[in-house]
Amino acid sequence: MKSILLVEDEPKIVQLARDYLEHAGFAVLIASDGRSALAVARTRRPDLIVLDLGLPELDGLDVARALRRESNVPIVILTARDDEFDRVLGLELGADDYVTKPFSPRELVARVRAVLRRSERSDQPAEVIRAGDVTLDVPRMRAEVGGRAVDLTATEFELLATLARQPGRIFTRAQLLDALHGVAFESYERAIDTHIKNLRRKLEPEPRRPRYVLTVYGVGYRLADDAA
Ligand code: CA
């Protein structure tokens, strides 16, 4: 059974989210402040973390930052609907997805499942993608660029794999969102830009002058088809 750590300080939201997640077959751990969230994450090693950004003790963004320093555990953040700044910053810190409050618990469950699907590829047949000097071992979620191992989050990996399966093909932001979620829900296409930025920072020799993941102005992105 997959375990989900739910980090939230509002009892009503905890109860609602826990009910739905448990009903969906997940074991749910609860933390109601930032410090205990980090402690539970370290000791119980959940399969995914649902993280509210408005927390006592230690802010949710600080929790996300601390988690990312030590693991690639999938993170879905909960943010206020009007707080785009926090949302973008959360994604920049490496969160895999977000749900805005007030949220539908069904949507939360769907997001959790989609993010877990992306991060669990081990039961799929072996697939190695090679595009120029980008090599992706899909079941093991290992990425290599020019012989150098690059440590990617599940979302960054899936994004790069989507581009690398069809090098040179132009993907719009909406298409990339579809590839990540299966269903795009109401996600902002700007989320793709922040994931692309994180990806470039990790794999490009000069992130400001990308050699692999290229911007197609006004449209989206593509992997250089001569990525070598
Ligand atoms: Ca809160």
Side-chain angles (χ1 to χ4, degrees), residues 8-218:
E8 170 61 75
D9 59 315
E10 292 167 56
K12 278 185 181 162
I13 296 180
V14 169
Q15 194 179 353
L16 185 69
R18 176 163 60 187
D19 284 354
Y20 272 79
L21 287 166
E22 284 180 349
H23 190 71
F26 297 110
V28 180
L29 306 163
I30 307 287
S32 55
D33 67 71
R35 283 184 209 293
S36 52
L38 287 178
V40 175
R42 283 165 186 153
T43 54
R44 307 286 299 274
R45 301 199 162 271
D47 294 293
L48 180 144
I49 298 176
V50 175
L51 177 64
D52 181 37
L53 292 188
L55 290 173
E57 298 287 320
L58 190 58
D59 182 69
L61 289 170
D62 293 327
V63 175
R65 195 177 285 117
L67 287 169
R68 266 298 162 265
R69 271 201 297 267
E70 45 200 78
S71 86
N72 280 331
V73 60
I75 301 172
V76 175
I77 53 177
L78 300 177
T79 74
R81 187 168 295 280
D82 55 357
D83 205 338
E84 192 173 272
F85 178 78
D86 271 6
R87 192 146 59 229
V88 171
L89 191 54
L91 292 169
E92 283 175 351
L93 290 174
D96 295 275
D97 205 349
Y98 63 85
V99 175
T100 53
K101 288 179 168 182
F103 60 86
S104 132
R106 280 195 189 83
E107 182 186 342
L108 176 66
V109 168
R111 294 296 182 96
V112 163
R113 283 194 172 128
V115 170
L116 280 173
R117 252 199 320 274
R118 267 146 51 194
S119 59
E120 296 156 9
R121 300 261 162 183
S122 54
D123 54 346
Q124 294 201 352
E127 186 191 357
V128 175
I129 302 169
R130 288 195 180 82
D133 53 4
V134 175
T135 303
L136 301 174
D137 180 338
V138 177
R140 290 175 189 79
M141 250 185 60
R142 283 188 195 139
E144 258 185 37
V145 177
R148 179 175 62 97
V150 183
D151 196 28
L152 302 177
T153 66
T155 300
E156 291 157 4
F157 188 92
E158 188 57 33
L159 197 50
L160 184 57
T162 300
L163 294 169
R165 281 189 184 101
Q166 297 174 73
R169 175 180 160 184
I170 296 167
F171 289 86
T172 65
R173 290 174 179 81
Q175 287 168 330
L176 292 172
L177 267 178
D178 280 350
L180 293 183
H181 294 296
V183 182
F185 290 104
E186 50 159 4
S187 291
Y188 289 84
E189 296 185 4
R190 270 182 62 184
I192 292 296
D193 296 345
T194 64
H195 287 304
I196 292 279
K197 200 167 111 192
N198 289 340
L199 195 51
R200 281 176 172 157
R201 191 165 43 75
K202 291 180 177 182
L203 62 84
E204 296 281 0
E206 293 179 78
R208 283 164 189 278
R209 292 171 52 199
R211 191 164 107 191
Y212 301 105
V213 180
L214 308 180
T215 300
V216 181
Y217 289 103

